[in-house]
Amino acid sequence: AQSVTQLGSHVSVSEGALVLLRCNYSSSVPPYLFWYVQYPNQGLQLLLKYTSAATLVKGINGFEAEFKKSETSFHLTKPSAHMSDAAEYFCAVTPSSGGYNKLIFGAGTRLAVHP
Amino acid sequence: EAGVTQFPSHSVIEKGQTVTLRCDPISGHDNLYWYRRVMGKEIKFLLHFVKESKQDESGMPNNRFLAERTGGTYSTLKVQPAELEDSGVYFCASGRGGSGANVLTFGAGSRLTVL
């Protein structure tokens, strides 16, 4: 069965510091991978997605993620954190075969950004 | 375009009562999904509609949960009778048809608290 592991339920960084949120997946077939973000009182918003094209994927708000098949990882990074990045982040996977989006989510990582 | 709308945003009921959650997807999105997040754990798939038909309901916890999508527009998720373990946030998402990594648009969620 597929699964997604997000290392660290809480991550705290200083404003301007590097943001690194870790995601590892298990999948029997090459997957599609996603990062979603949830700001307070809002829905899940897509940050970026990997669909077997370029392994380095750029998303919104300066975030990017790199698909590493050998490490079964899809870590999310941002060079310089902003206070507005404080939110909960979810990594998700769906098999590229299947025909529809039955997303499997990780448990989420709450990012805190302090001055 | 308008997003995915869910209501109520928060519902507090007692054990044994009934609650109905509603989701209005983006107009024209044939695919509608329900997910649930319990106690800060993973967001888990509940079921998937294509228009008015249930495509996959493998994630529904038990027969106390009933989902409908009459006419292929909005959907309701009824919990009857509610139990303590049903507390959590229920997310609805919609997307266009077809295979591949179609992006899902999520609502803000309906938080259910069962006392």
Side-chain angles (χ1 to χ4, degrees):
Chain A
Q2 286 183 289
S3 65
V4 176
T5 302
Q6 291 184 238
L7 295 176
S9 58
H10 290 80
V11 171
S12 181
V13 300
S14 299
E15 190 174 19
L18 171 71
V19 175
L20 171 60
L21 304 182
R22 300 177 185 274
C23 172
N24 288 84
Y25 68 92
S26 67
S27 176
S28 58
V29 297
Y32 294 148
L33 292 152
F34 305 81
W35 275 98
Y36 281 87
V37 59
Q38 186 179 24
Y39 299 103
N41 300 317
Q42 296 186 28
L44 295 165
Q45 179 182 357
L46 181 71
L47 271 179
L48 49 81
K49 64 179 180 181
Y50 166 76
T51 58
S52 71
T55 56
L56 181 63
V57 182
K58 294 187 183 299
I60 62 172
N61 301 336
F63 285 93
E64 63 181 34
E66 186 173 9
F67 172 67
K68 293 186 176 181
K69 184 178 179 180
S70 61
E71 299 177 7
T72 61
S73 68
F74 191 57
H75 301 331
L76 181 71
T77 60
K78 182 175 180 177
S80 177
H82 192 273
M83 297 295 288
S84 60
D85 294 327
E88 192 159 19
Y89 293 79
F90 296 91
C91 181
V93 62
T94 188
S96 55
S97 63
Y100 65 92
N101 295 85
K102 187 175 178 179
L103 291 171
I104 297 168
F105 285 88
T109 297
R110 189 170 296 278
L111 175 67
V113 182
H114 52 87
Chain B
E1 61 183 3
V4 176
T5 305
Q6 293 186 247
F7 51 92
S9 58
H10 192 187
S11 181
V12 181
I13 62 173
E14 293 190 350
K15 176 183 174 180
Q17 290 185 320
T18 297
V19 64
T20 300
L21 310 177
R22 172 168 169 150
C23 170
D24 286 73
I26 292 174
S27 178
H29 282 190
D30 288 340
N31 292 272
L32 186 149
Y33 302 78
W34 283 98
Y35 288 82
R36 178 175 73 169
R37 189 183 192 200
V38 174
M39 289 293 291
K41 296 188 177 179
E42 295 89 350
I43 301 169
K44 290 194 173 180
F45 169 84
L46 295 179
L47 85 158
H48 169 215
F49 284 99
V50 176
K51 296 184 180 178
E52 68 275 11
S53 299
K54 292 178 185 175
Q55 180 79 13
D56 182 347
E57 52 184 331
S58 61
M60 294 288 264
N62 50 61
N63 59 11
R64 296 186 293 103
F65 289 76
L66 175 64
E68 295 180 323
R69 193 183 181 195
T70 306
T73 55
Y74 70 91
S75 174
T76 58
L77 180 64
K78 179 189 287 187
V79 184
Q80 179 183 29
E83 298 289 344
L84 298 178
E85 63 266 24
D86 300 333
S87 295
V89 180
Y90 291 77
F91 291 100
C92 176
S94 71
R96 299 187 186 281
S99 61
N102 294 302
V103 173
L104 297 186
T105 301
F106 283 80
S110 291
R111 180 177 297 277
L112 173 63
T113 302
V114 183
L115 302 176

